Amino acid sequence: MRPIVFLDVDGPLNPFAAKGELPGYVEHSFRLRGWSRRHRLRMRLNPAHGPALLAAAAGADLVWATTWGHQANTMVGPAIGLPALPVVECAQVGSGWKFAAVSRYAGPRPLVWLDDDFDLYPAARDAFLDRRRDAVTALVRVDPSTGITDAHLAAVREALVPHGGG
């Protein structure tokens, strides 16, 4: 079974909690659907992350798992050099957060997931991991003050090695 690498935007790609300059990051200003013309979202993205993620996820399907939904393909992806990716429909409803949607999308396939919020809902996370005890599952926590680093990319490659990726 082809593995999946799930990718969140805020935290991993947009280190919103970072203080000061971040080498390699470029500031972007996006107007989101439903926002007024004057209200824009500023975020920092590293254009090197797109090619690095594609390389780290070689042999796997790279999939958005973000509340940005399809807007990740029209705004974030192009800014970092990612092609249009499949999107997990993640409605943030209740304490289950994204776990149920990712579980449905992945089924029994091996998965690696880059996100900063795994610990917000520990009961839902633990139930997700318990349901996947027979499926390879690597949750790669990304600090929202640093964003994705070489260590995170190495963790993705390492998790994919036994499954034909990386």
Side-chain angles (χ1 to χ4, degrees):
M1 280 186 277
R2 189 170 166 89
I4 303 173
V5 176
F6 290 104
L7 180 61
D8 184 29
V9 171
D10 291 313
L13 294 175
N14 171 33
F16 62 84
K19 306 230 186 304
E21 293 291 318
L22 287 171
Y25 282 79
V26 177
E27 186 170 304
H28 295 268
S29 177
F30 297 116
R31 191 178 77 229
L32 300 178
R33 213 175 347 193
W35 287 22
S36 74
R37 291 182 192 252
R38 288 180 281 153
H39 191 124
R40 298 184 75 79
L41 175 65
R42 294 195 190 298
M43 58 192 302
R44 294 180 279 186
L45 299 168
N46 186 334
H49 279 154
L53 284 161
L54 290 170
D61 295 331
L62 192 57
V63 175
W64 293 114
T66 175
T67 55
W68 277 75
H70 293 279
Q71 289 184 97
N73 277 325
T74 59
M75 296 180 190
V76 179
I80 62 170
L82 285 178
L85 303 174
V87 176
V88 174
E89 302 294 336
C90 297
Q92 270 189 298
V93 178
S95 63
W97 180 61
K98 301 178 201 174
F99 292 113
V102 165
S103 183
R104 279 190 304 275
Y105 190 99
R109 293 168 61 183
L111 73 82
V112 181
W113 185 359
L114 293 151
D115 208 305
D116 62 312
D117 288 337
F118 296 124
D119 297 330
L120 286 179
Y121 304 102
R125 178 203 57 222
D126 294 347
F128 169 79
L129 291 170
D130 187 54
R131 282 190 306 275
R132 292 192 52 83
R133 67 181 163 269
D134 295 328
V136 173
T137 304
L139 303 182
V140 180
R141 288 169 181 80
V142 179
D143 184 334
S145 67
T146 64
I148 292 173
T149 65
D150 290 341
H152 298 113
L153 296 168
V156 169
R157 286 189 298 273
E158 183 178 321
L160 293 175
V161 167
H163 308 287

